[in-house]
Amino acid sequence: MATKLKGGKTPPRLFEDLSFYNPQCLPPNSYNILTEVALQFDTSATQKPPKKLVKKGCRHKWALKTEQCDHIELDSRPDSSSLYTAAGLCMLCRSHIELTIDFKGEGAEVVPCPKEDAPLHHFIYSRDEHCGLFCVQEGANAGSWMDTQRFSCSSMSCSAHLTIRMRSPILTSKWEALLLDKSLIRSRAQKAISNEPSRFEGHAIPSPIEVVGNLRTYIHNAMTSHEERRIPSNNKKWLLCFGEPCADLLQHIGFRCTEDGWFPPRPDVSATVPLRNPLNILLNDVENELAVILNLQPDNERHMAKVHVPLQPAMAEFERILGSKGYKRSTASRTVDLTQEDQEPEHPFYAGLGSTMDFHDELICFTYERQIACDAENSPYYLECLQGIAEGRGSEDLQTKVAIEASSGKFSVRDLREAYQSLGLDIRSSFYDDDTVIGNFQSRIADAPRQEPDLRRALYMIGEHRKSVRIQHVASNGIIFYLALAVLRKIIGLLLTMYTDVKTYEQALSWLGATDDMVDEFLVSMYGVKVHESPANEELARQCMVLIAEQRKSTGLKAWLETGQLGEMEMDFGQAYTRLGIGDRTIDDDLVITSYNINMQETPSQIKDLKRALAAIAKSRNSFYLQSFLDSSASERKVSEWPVGLENIGNTCYLNSLLQFYFTVKPLRDLVLNFDQYKMQLDDGAFYKKQVGSRKVSKKEVERAQRFVYELQKLFQSMITIPDDKVTPEQELARLTLISASGEESFRRKSILSTHRPSLGDINAQPVLGPLPASPDVVASVDTVMFNNSISNPDGYGATNPRSEEDVSSDDTLVETPALDIKADNDLMILDSVEKEQQQVQLATDKENFAPTSVEMPRSKTPDRTLGPIVELSPLRANVKEDPQSPPRQFNGGQIPSELTTQSVTAFPAPPNRPPPIPPRNKPDDSKRAIQQEVEIGAQQDVTEVIANVLFQLQCAIRPENIDESGEQIDQIKTLFFAKQKSYITNDRGEIRSNEEFVTDIKVDVASGPRDIYAALDGAFDVQEVEVGGTLEPQYAAISQLPPVLQILVQRAQFDPETKRPFKSNNHLELKETIYMDRYMDSSDTDLAQRRQACWAWKKDLAKLDTRRTELTKTEMDMDMPAILSSAAEYLRQCASNGSDDSIEVEPELLANLENASSKATAELSEIEEQMKTLSTNINSQFADLRELPYRLHSVFIHRGMVNSGHYWIYIYDFVNSMWRKYNDGYVTEVTEPKIIFEAEQSTRPATPYFLVYVRDDLRSDLVESVCRNVAEVRRPQEDTVMADDESGTTELLKLSHDLQPAEGRAQVVDDLWGSCGRASQAHFW
């Protein structure tokens, strides 16, 4: 249905189209963007708007040629005798343009636009014999062209006639090359120099800017000077810049060649503006073209030549002569949401009305009226343009205009399309005859007689569209009544819309009788019910649907409003970002998925719409990752065959990645799930010799570590058995993982010493942050009591013994309990009477939390001020007095094991003489808040600290397998993850010292630039000089023992010495799926040692060469050294040969030395490149044949962000299924394009590897397993229950109480009931 329109254009529309108009590039009989109104845009098809730019076209930027313009007085208005001209040229392609508007007309009624009823001209194309494109095929001007087009204002009272002329540049491409081609310039100059070498000695080859600038100077002088100046034939500057090869060009622009030399053109220098003399116009055009050419030269060349030619933009003058300057604009102009991703920003509906997208609503109405007045045949399309703009802008004024037009019997293309569809016809088909149309109409009436009014109106519209009298006659049988009824409905609907207060999404739902959770299909049904009940409410119902569609950002409803069908439409990427609520379109893919997940959780009924939005964004970005996420989410995977995700509980993305990695390590998973088999017994005599990390560990650290392993066990069991796709880690596990024992105590000490610390409750609605201030007039006393040093033991027990003498502490363990010493100010806290009373109340309130005593101890007298040491767990603890006669605490009917019994005597004061203050309440909430604060602090810890804390706690929790000579514990964790690294230092006497130590990872650096994994590892083991005793000694390292699981830490956090701030290095680290560790092993093999020595020597030479290359290529002038030397020589030649009085004398020897130095620097750079290439090849191939120790890449921790913020996720390879998966918090997806892991991301903040894990290739099936699921389809009741069969076969309900059964018993029940996943899948369901 896309046909040519016959309407007109306003001046702003003409200017917009002129910027894309290239008449010389238009194919024959093609769409002409200047003379024709835009083609009809079919919104129901996949048709795209015509492209404005064509091949070889230019988007023009016009500059004003002021000497060729009429200067109009400000605020002057044209009359019937006015004629204005404005001229310009394009600042890109140098095409010339001339606008001439002639207001000459006859009669007294001529009133030029703009005026009250015509705020702008409305130009209609007026073709005559002078219009069109004229091209020169032969002669000196071959290839030049001129295009002329004429327009007339459609207003009956305006006689404006507009002529637009465009012509080709004066300086053709051939002549432009003579001025700019460096090889041609050099050839001309060298010819002149070779003819007279002594005369041109020391003269430099002119640059293109000099050639163009000199020619422009000659022309400018000719235009302004009254004297004719001859240019001698042997003028050095003339010969170097132009000479004989430029004779045709010079003669074409008016230069004359005689025996005495060259004479510049002789224009009329007394001519006034605007120029009318042809030679003056020619020279002015050439001068302006040369100015454009100069401005198009590279900035650095123009800066060196000090050339700056300002050009005045022409658009303001163009607008002024056409009366459109300052037209009424709408700053909030928006188009209807129909654009595709590769369309122009402006919707074709604006071009269809001859307007632009910034027109005010009043001007939109004006252009609509002018279009239908000039082109009534296409008025349905113009009405559709008005409808689309009204809906896109949400303009009540435009929507009212549309309603008025509809009430007058006019219909749009949209209405016509719906009319054809209602009769089962396609508007785009031309094969229907009148009988077919009438037959369809009659059959539809027979099938649905209640729809006869609408069908007759549709038939009438079709008859009018086809200009068929017969169809109109059939439709008119009763049509007058139905048309009147339809018009009445429209008017009533419009009035209801105007006076019914339905303005919000909630009001629209209420009016339709719908709710927020109803899907789009049901809302369409509700709309139909409302309209069927009261046809007069159709407009109001439609407005409600518009509000709902906008609020929900539902493309389905928008499509239904446009086409009547709730079908899926391809969403453009702009709508997609809006649909997902994303304002910043530069965010990375992971944040896009996060936004998608949030929307899906909030509005699950819109999942199809959300997926379409995500698909549109994936397509626009060409993102393999987003597409793979869609593919993986669309696939129907069995829960039992896919790993679970871990929910983020607050800045725990790195923790989740770490836990996912540890879960896939089979030996570690087996150890955690069967922890009781490996658990360190606290009553074991070997406990007191336990040494981890080269230091003794305390009993308290072991207890804490075992609590950590039990929490980890619970998580692993859930990850195996949960019938869901994600698990939420416990806050306690996060705290124990992220916070070390020393960090935990430090946090609690800060709660005493800092004013910004967690609240300990409240008194009279005021928070208690620590010791309360002393009150001198209140004197009281308090007994010293000891709080239970209770630990939430995984075994179900709540108390432990106080620290024994053997519970040795160290600098890295928890804070020791000091002896009661008045001088120990740092470890003591003075409690005044008010504090004592508050503690007293707290103790009384929490009485049920303490172990019962056999007798109530009498209150003892104490001094007015009491000293109490700060001990491990409570900042407000008082002293404890052990009572060996206290009976053991009874625990739920059973006796606590002796090793977990706390013996203490709790004494309480006598009641005070006044009512006590309100004690702190909500203790559980305060505890949770404290845990949350510790988790938040822990989430900020360094990556290495968290990994070290996990491995340390695992080692503390288990018993040793062996003890090495230093007393260090050897266990499963040490064997699995720890390597032994040996360092060698050689002193100046040739003596070699060595030191061997355990390391958890190999630290590599990418601060100096991108590199591959081998180059990064080399940096950790290569020889380097270290300062020992004031002297530099060489040191290198080697691996004496490789672990099965090899961890590599990429140190990306760096420090900028200039800004004094840390930063993250985002340099790319090229990973390899398999690495061979032979080259890094500690060996007595002399061949390996010699290879290392040779490689170190090559790297040293390579570093020297790279330093020298940097000296030659990196300078403050952004030029390499050869270019600087060459430029200096050329500059000195120019200074010596400029022919002016201020020229300087330059020694020829100096110029020769500079050129020679430039050549030497160039040769040196080439030699350096060759040497560096050879050395790099030698280094890369030095160990290529050593392949006996292969390690396969298993996990890649990824970080995106800055040094102190960002997001982590992990890629883990599944060796069984041969696939990479991405574990991003709660979502586990397949990586369909592994290159996103291995290739560098082109982004300002790329996602970069932070931690790598390789596993021994020959043991990989025993070391790692990505999927370990044994889903238990059981309900999770309030009470822990399982079903088991007794001996008689009767099913018995077992209640597993955490308090009544020890962990060993519970684990046994679980093992018996559910079996295991290998040794690593005990079901956890309590």
Side-chain angles (χ1 to χ4, degrees):
M1 168 125 192
T3 59
K4 290 187 177 181
L5 304 173
K6 302 175 184 177
K9 299 182 180 183
T10 57
R13 179 77 256 162
L14 272 176
F15 295 144
E16 177 69 16
D17 294 343
L18 263 175
S19 64
F20 292 94
Y21 185 52
N22 295 274
Q24 78 283 11
C25 299
L26 285 176
N29 303 320
S30 65
Y31 165 70
N32 190 312
I33 192 175
L34 180 64
T35 62
E36 301 177 42
V37 182
L39 295 175
Q40 291 193 27
F41 179 64
D42 187 358
T43 58
S44 67
T46 57
Q47 170 197 353
K48 297 181 180 180
K51 293 291 184 182
K52 294 181 178 180
L53 280 172
V54 296
K55 190 175 182 180
K56 298 182 181 179
C58 171
R59 182 167 187 174
H60 305 297
K61 295 182 179 179
W62 304 112
L64 195 66
K65 298 189 292 188
T66 55
E67 292 82 0
Q68 300 181 39
C69 298
D70 288 306
H71 292 277
I72 309 170
E73 296 290 336
L74 292 175
D75 300 327
S76 63
R77 287 187 56 82
D79 54 31
S80 57
S81 62
S82 299
L83 186 147
Y84 300 146
T85 299
L89 82 163
C90 178
M91 292 185 282
L92 299 175
C93 69
R94 295 183 286 109
S95 296
H96 295 265
I97 187 171
E98 181 183 86
L99 305 180
T100 301
I101 184 166
D102 185 358
F103 294 94
K104 295 178 182 178
E106 299 179 357
E109 298 299 326
V110 174
V111 181
C113 299
K115 49 194 173 186
E116 184 175 356
D117 61 335
L120 290 172
H121 288 292
H122 184 256
F123 289 112
I124 302 294
Y125 182 54
S126 303
R127 183 174 180 82
D128 58 25
E129 66 275 9
H130 301 292
C131 292
L133 178 66
F134 174 75
C135 298
V136 179
Q137 305 294 339
E138 299 177 351
N141 295 323
S144 61
W145 52 267
M146 183 172 71
D147 181 79
T148 303
Q149 305 295 349
R150 301 185 189 277
F151 301 83
S152 300
C153 184
S154 65
S155 174
M156 299 297 294
S157 60
C158 180
S159 59
H161 297 277
L162 174 65
T163 301
I164 301 177
R165 292 187 180 89
M166 287 184 65
R167 50 188 173 85
S168 59
I170 304 297
L171 301 175
T172 63
S173 58
K174 179 183 70 174
W175 288 337
E176 183 183 5
L178 284 175
L179 301 176
L180 297 178
D181 192 314
K182 292 183 179 181
S183 61
L184 296 178
I185 296 173
R186 180 176 293 274
S187 176
R188 296 197 301 266
Q190 287 178 344
K191 182 179 179 181
I193 293 173
S194 62
N195 290 336
E196 298 179 88
S198 60
R199 184 165 177 262
F200 286 94
E201 183 177 357
H203 284 70
I205 305 297
S207 66
I209 288 183
E210 290 178 289
V211 174
V212 175
N214 288 338
L215 181 57
R216 186 168 182 269
T217 300
Y218 285 130
I219 294 175
H220 179 76
N221 292 338
M223 294 278 291
T224 57
S225 176
H226 292 271
E227 298 180 3
E228 185 176 28
R229 296 183 178 180
R230 179 179 65 87
I231 304 173
S233 300
N234 62 349
N235 182 282
K236 290 189 288 186
K237 182 187 297 184
W238 179 266
L239 290 174
L240 289 173
C241 291
F242 307 108
E244 188 63 28
C246 296
D248 291 342
L249 165 61
L250 297 171
Q251 290 175 356
H252 178 74
I253 60 178
F255 283 81
R256 292 175 291 115
C257 181
T258 66
E259 294 180 355
D260 297 330
W262 285 85
F263 288 89
R266 294 298 301 157
D268 182 3
V269 296
S270 61
T272 59
V273 174
L275 300 176
R276 296 287 182 258
N277 184 288
L279 181 58
N280 287 60
I281 293 176
L282 172 66
L283 293 177
N284 182 252
D285 287 345
V286 173
E287 184 179 5
N288 281 289
E289 285 190 33
L290 293 174
V292 169
I293 291 174
L294 287 173
N295 285 337
L296 290 176
Q297 299 311 299
D299 291 342
N300 60 333
E301 295 183 13
R302 289 192 292 111
H303 178 71
M304 290 184 62
K306 298 181 180 180
V307 173
H308 177 66
V309 184
L311 295 172
Q312 179 182 348
M315 194 51 64
E317 187 65 21
F318 288 177
E319 290 179 341
R320 201 154 70 93
I321 70 166
L322 295 191
S324 61
K325 189 173 180 62
Y327 64 89
K328 198 170 184 179
R329 289 176 168 87
S330 173
T331 57
S333 172
R334 293 177 288 123
T335 61
V336 66
D337 243 346
L338 298 175
T339 58
Q340 304 295 324
E341 66 179 70
D342 57 347
Q343 289 183 3
E344 300 293 336
E346 183 184 69
H347 197 275
F349 283 164
Y350 287 103
L353 293 182
S355 62
T356 57
M357 65 185 299
D358 63 346
F359 270 28
H360 191 271
D361 289 350
E362 294 178 6
L363 291 182
I364 295 293
C365 292
F366 162 72
T367 55
Y368 166 75
E369 294 288 352
R370 296 311 306 154
Q371 294 293 64
I372 61 175
C374 300
D375 187 15
E377 180 182 357
N378 288 307
S379 58
Y381 178 69
Y382 296 129
L383 182 55
E384 182 172 31
C385 294
L386 185 64
Q387 282 179 330
I389 296 173
E391 292 172 2
R393 291 188 173 189
S395 168
E396 292 187 5
D397 292 340
L398 293 182
Q399 290 173 350
T400 302
K401 177 69 174 176
V402 171
I404 292 174
E405 293 296 287
S407 66
S408 64
K410 295 178 182 177
F411 53 87
S412 67
V413 174
R414 181 195 305 171
D415 300 328
L416 191 60
R417 187 184 302 112
E418 293 174 353
Y420 273 90
Q421 290 175 350
S422 66
L423 297 185
L425 304 174
D426 188 349
I427 191 174
R428 292 168 292 187
S429 176
S430 58
F431 298 104
Y432 305 130
D433 55 16
D434 289 357
D435 290 332
T436 301
V437 175
I438 295 173
N440 279 29
F441 163 72
Q442 292 172 343
S443 63
R444 289 298 174 103
I445 288 182
D447 294 338
R450 297 183 61 180
Q451 297 181 10
E452 182 178 356
D454 295 331
L455 292 173
R456 284 191 178 277
R457 185 172 184 273
L459 184 65
Y460 189 86
M461 282 192 288
I462 294 174
E464 187 172 342
H465 172 247
R466 295 167 62 95
K467 301 295 187 289
S468 171
V469 177
R470 182 184 174 196
I471 293 178
Q472 291 180 1
H473 176 73
V474 173
S476 63
N477 183 14
I479 193 63
I480 296 177
F481 169 76
Y482 289 122
L483 281 176
L485 183 60
V487 171
L488 182 61
R489 287 178 180 175
K490 284 280 186 181
I491 294 175
I492 294 175
L494 178 63
L495 293 174
L496 286 172
T497 302
M498 294 175 63
Y499 294 104
T500 302
D501 190 21
V502 179
K503 301 294 184 182
T504 66
Y505 170 73
E506 291 76 14
Q507 291 172 347
L509 287 174
S510 176
W511 191 88
L512 289 174
T515 59
D516 183 58
D517 57 348
M518 288 183 178
V519 297
D520 293 346
E521 291 83 352
F522 196 82
L523 289 176
V524 173
S525 301
M526 297 293 293
Y527 167 89
V529 171
K530 279 287 186 180
V531 173
H532 179 74
E533 291 175 351
S534 178
N537 287 330
E538 182 178 1
E539 287 298 324
L540 184 57
R542 188 175 182 84
Q543 179 185 342
C544 292
M545 296 297 286
V546 170
L547 289 171
I548 295 172
E550 289 296 330
Q551 173 67 23
R552 292 189 173 188
K553 301 180 178 63
S554 170
T555 54
L557 286 180
K558 291 180 180 178
W560 176 81
L561 289 167
E562 289 290 334
T563 65
Q565 298 180 354
L566 196 62
E568 288 192 2
M569 298 175 60
E570 182 179 354
M571 189 180 297
D572 74 276
F573 72 96
Q575 290 175 317
Y577 282 107
T578 303
R579 179 66 185 89
L580 295 181
I582 299 175
D584 181 7
R585 300 185 183 184
T586 63
I587 64 175
D588 55 70
D589 289 350
D590 293 288
L591 292 180
V592 172
I593 291 179
T594 300
S595 179
Y596 165 81
N597 291 329
I598 292 173
N599 279 274
M600 192 170 63
Q601 292 172 2
E602 292 178 349
T603 56
S605 62
Q606 303 294 319
I607 184 171
K608 290 184 178 180
D609 204 36
L610 294 170
K611 284 188 175 181
R612 289 174 52 241
L614 187 60
I617 296 176
K619 181 179 178 181
S620 68
R621 293 186 172 201
N622 194 23
S623 170
F624 295 108
Y625 172 54
L626 290 180
Q627 191 58 52
S628 65
F629 176 84
L630 281 168
D631 296 340
S632 63
S633 61
S635 63
E636 297 293 336
R637 292 194 178 95
K638 292 183 179 180
V639 175
S640 60
E641 299 176 357
W642 198 255
V644 299
L646 297 178
E647 291 279 17
N648 193 314
I649 58 175
N651 294 331
T652 58
C653 52
Y654 175 73
L655 171 65
N656 290 341
S657 301
L658 191 64
L659 294 174
Q660 291 282 15
F661 157 60
Y662 285 140
F663 180 78
T664 63
V665 181
K666 290 173 66 176
L668 174 61
R669 188 173 65 213
D670 176 75
L671 183 149
V672 171
L673 292 171
N674 299 278
F675 174 56
D676 291 331
Q677 300 177 20
Y678 304 95
K679 181 178 178 182
M680 181 74 188
Q681 299 301 321
L682 299 182
D683 57 353
D684 190 347
F687 164 76
Y688 303 109
K689 299 179 181 179
K690 188 179 183 69
Q691 180 174 307
V692 177
S694 301
R695 71 173 179 84
K696 300 288 186 180
V697 295
S698 67
K699 181 179 180 181
K700 195 172 299 299
E701 287 175 308
V702 174
E703 291 171 342
R704 185 186 193 276
Q706 292 180 354
R707 189 163 70 254
F708 160 71
V709 178
Y710 276 118
E711 291 290 338
L712 189 60
Q713 183 186 77
K714 288 163 54 179
L715 176 69
F716 281 5
Q717 289 169 339
S718 295
M719 294 173 70
I720 294 172
T721 62
I722 189 171
D724 201 351
D725 61 350
K726 61 189 68 174
V727 177
T728 302
E730 297 290 340
Q731 288 274 0
E732 178 68 6
L733 173 61
R735 184 181 71 84
L736 294 172
T737 306
L738 297 172
I739 298 289
S740 64
S742 57
E744 181 181 68
E745 186 64 20
S746 175
F747 172 81
R748 296 182 180 181
R749 289 179 63 86
K750 288 179 181 178
S751 68
I752 306 172
L753 304 176
S754 172
T755 57
H756 303 283
R757 52 186 180 267
S759 173
L760 303 177
D762 58 85
I763 298 177
N764 295 328
Q766 297 298 320
V768 179
L769 298 177
L772 300 176
S775 178
D777 56 342
V778 178
V779 179
S781 60
V782 63
D783 292 326
T784 59
V785 296
M786 173 67 113
F787 288 19
N788 260 344
N789 188 8
S790 59
I791 297 177
S792 179
N793 195 298
D795 292 344
Y797 309 113
T800 60
N801 282 326
R803 291 166 58 98
S804 63
E805 294 180 0
E806 294 84 358
D807 190 7
V808 183
S809 179
S810 71
D811 292 339
D812 294 327
T813 60
L814 297 178
V815 179
E816 286 185 332
T817 304
L820 184 58
D821 188 350
I822 302 296
K823 297 180 180 179
D825 297 334
N826 293 332
D827 292 324
L828 295 181
M829 182 170 58
I830 297 177
L831 307 179
D832 61 30
S833 56
V834 176
E835 291 173 290
K836 289 181 284 185
E837 184 174 325
Q838 294 295 342
Q839 284 198 5
Q840 191 112 352
V841 174
Q842 181 67 37
L843 293 172
T845 305
D846 294 341
K847 184 175 181 179
E848 65 273 17
N849 295 329
F850 297 104
T853 57
S854 57
V855 294
E856 184 72 17
M857 301 300 294
R859 178 177 179 271
S860 61
K861 297 293 183 179
T862 60
D864 291 341
R865 301 178 66 83
T866 305
L867 300 176
I870 302 173
V871 289
E872 290 79 12
L873 294 180
S874 174
L876 291 179
R877 290 180 57 176
N879 286 329
V880 62
K881 181 184 295 183
E882 292 190 3
D883 185 1
Q885 298 178 354
S886 298
R889 178 182 174 185
Q890 300 298 313
F891 187 79
N892 291 332
Q895 183 170 320
I896 300 176
S898 59
E899 70 271 16
L900 297 177
T901 303
T902 298
Q903 298 174 343
S904 61
V905 177
T906 305
F908 298 96
N913 297 327
R914 56 184 175 82
I918 300 175
R921 296 295 181 187
N922 301 325
K923 182 176 180 180
D925 293 339
D926 292 337
S927 175
K928 292 180 180 178
R929 188 182 303 114
I931 291 177
Q932 177 64 29
Q933 289 174 334
E934 291 192 50
V935 170
E936 291 173 357
I937 293 177
Q940 303 169 13
Q941 300 302 305
D942 184 75
V943 172
T944 54
E945 294 177 2
V946 178
I947 295 175
N949 182 43
V950 171
L951 298 180
F952 176 77
Q953 292 193 94
L954 287 170
Q955 288 188 271
C956 287
I958 62 178
R959 62 177 178 266
E961 290 183 323
N962 198 0
I963 304 295
D964 70 3
E965 61 276 5
S966 66
E968 181 73 10
Q969 170 176 308
I970 305 300
D971 51 46
Q972 292 86 346
I973 301 301
K974 186 81 74 176
T975 304
L976 189 62
F977 293 104
F978 284 70
K980 271 191 176 182
Q981 181 172 300
K982 202 167 187 178
S983 301
Y984 293 90
I985 299 180
T986 306
N987 60 22
D988 54 0
R989 297 185 300 276
E991 298 173 347
I992 300 176
R993 304 188 308 277
S994 64
N995 179 52
E996 190 176 43
E997 61 181 351
F998 283 106
V999 293
T1000 58
D1001 54 54
I1002 301 175
K1003 296 175 174 58
V1004 300
D1005 185 15
V1006 291
S1008 59
R1011 59 186 59 186
D1012 66 10
I1013 185 63
Y1014 280 124
L1017 287 170
D1018 289 348
F1021 298 101
D1022 283 351
V1023 67
Q1024 55 185 325
E1025 291 186 334
V1026 296
E1027 185 175 351
V1028 179
T1031 61
L1032 295 178
E1033 298 179 354
Q1035 175 187 5
Y1036 73 93
I1039 300 175
S1040 57
Q1041 179 180 307
L1042 272 171
V1045 180
L1046 179 64
Q1047 302 179 126
I1048 301 174
L1049 174 66
V1050 185
Q1051 294 180 307
R1052 294 193 175 273
Q1054 306 292 333
F1055 184 77
D1056 188 342
E1058 295 183 0
T1059 62
K1060 308 298 183 184
R1061 292 182 179 179
F1063 70 96
K1064 178 192 172 186
S1065 171
N1066 287 318
N1067 290 323
H1068 176 58
L1069 177 62
E1070 181 183 342
L1071 305 180
K1072 296 185 182 298
E1073 293 189 18
T1074 304
I1075 60 174
Y1076 299 90
M1077 299 299 294
D1078 308 63
R1079 67 186 71 180
Y1080 305 113
M1081 297 305 296
D1082 185 35
S1083 172
S1084 58
D1085 185 3
T1086 56
D1087 177 65
L1088 181 59
Q1090 291 173 358
R1091 292 194 192 195
R1092 286 176 179 162
Q1093 294 289 343
C1095 195
W1096 295 340
W1098 291 335
K1099 289 180 180 180
K1100 189 174 182 180
D1101 294 340
L1102 188 63
K1104 292 180 180 178
L1105 291 172
D1106 186 60
T1107 302
R1108 178 56 180 164
R1109 182 178 62 176
T1110 302
E1111 293 174 352
L1112 293 176
T1113 56
K1114 305 295 183 182
T1115 65
E1116 296 181 356
M1117 300 179 64
D1118 293 331
M1119 300 169 63
D1120 60 22
M1121 190 58 66
I1124 291 176
L1125 294 171
S1126 179
S1127 298
E1130 289 191 12
Y1131 178 75
L1132 291 175
R1133 286 195 187 94
Q1134 294 173 11
C1135 293
S1137 61
N1138 59 12
S1140 62
D1141 295 337
D1142 57 351
S1143 61
I1144 63 174
E1145 183 177 353
V1146 179
E1147 291 291 338
E1149 184 179 356
L1150 174 60
L1151 297 176
N1153 289 339
L1154 288 172
E1155 291 291 354
N1156 185 38
S1158 176
S1159 301
K1160 287 184 177 180
T1162 302
E1164 184 181 2
L1165 272 176
S1166 299
E1167 185 179 356
I1168 287 174
E1169 293 293 343
E1170 286 297 324
Q1171 291 180 4
M1172 293 182 68
K1173 184 177 180 181
T1174 301
L1175 289 173
S1176 297
T1177 303
N1178 292 341
I1179 294 170
N1180 293 332
S1181 60
Q1182 181 72 340
F1183 304 100
D1185 59 320
L1186 302 181
R1187 292 172 171 263
E1188 294 183 3
L1189 294 175
Y1191 274 69
R1192 292 287 299 274
L1193 183 62
H1194 170 254
S1195 302
V1196 182
F1197 290 70
I1198 299 291
H1199 176 265
R1200 185 193 300 280
M1202 296 177 291
V1203 67
N1204 54 0
S1205 63
H1207 180 61
Y1208 284 96
W1209 65 90
I1210 186 174
Y1211 295 109
I1212 299 179
Y1213 188 70
D1214 186 342
F1215 291 102
V1216 175
N1217 297 300
S1218 301
M1219 71 166 65
W1220 282 96
R1221 293 186 182 91
K1222 178 176 182 177
Y1223 298 71
N1224 188 3
D1225 286 336
Y1227 298 92
V1228 182
T1229 55
E1230 181 181 354
V1231 179
T1232 57
E1233 292 291 338
K1235 68 179 184 180
I1236 66 175
I1237 304 174
F1238 294 93
E1239 295 182 2
E1241 179 181 330
Q1242 302 303 318
S1243 171
T1244 55
R1245 287 191 301 173
T1248 53
Y1250 224 102
F1251 195 78
L1252 314 173
V1253 179
Y1254 283 84
V1255 296
R1256 271 183 57 174
D1257 188 37
D1258 58 331
L1259 299 177
R1260 65 175 186 266
S1261 60
D1262 298 322
L1263 291 173
V1264 290
E1265 181 184 35
S1266 296
V1267 181
C1268 180
R1269 300 298 307 276
N1270 187 16
V1271 176
E1273 301 291 343
V1274 296
R1275 297 180 58 189
R1276 301 190 177 203
Q1278 295 270 336
E1279 223 170 357
D1280 299 332
T1281 62
V1282 295
M1283 305 297 294
D1285 292 339
D1286 60 12
E1287 295 180 357
S1288 62
T1290 306
T1291 301
E1292 177 186 4
L1293 183 65
L1294 301 181
K1295 298 184 179 181
L1296 304 181
S1297 170
H1298 291 269
D1299 297 330
L1300 296 179
Q1301 291 192 4
E1304 292 84 358
R1306 294 200 306 272
Q1308 185 60 47
V1309 172
V1310 174
D1311 214 18
D1312 293 340
L1313 288 174
W1314 301 107
S1316 62
C1317 177
R1319 293 179 61 199
S1321 61
Q1322 291 180 343
H1324 176 70
F1325 53 91
W1326 54 83

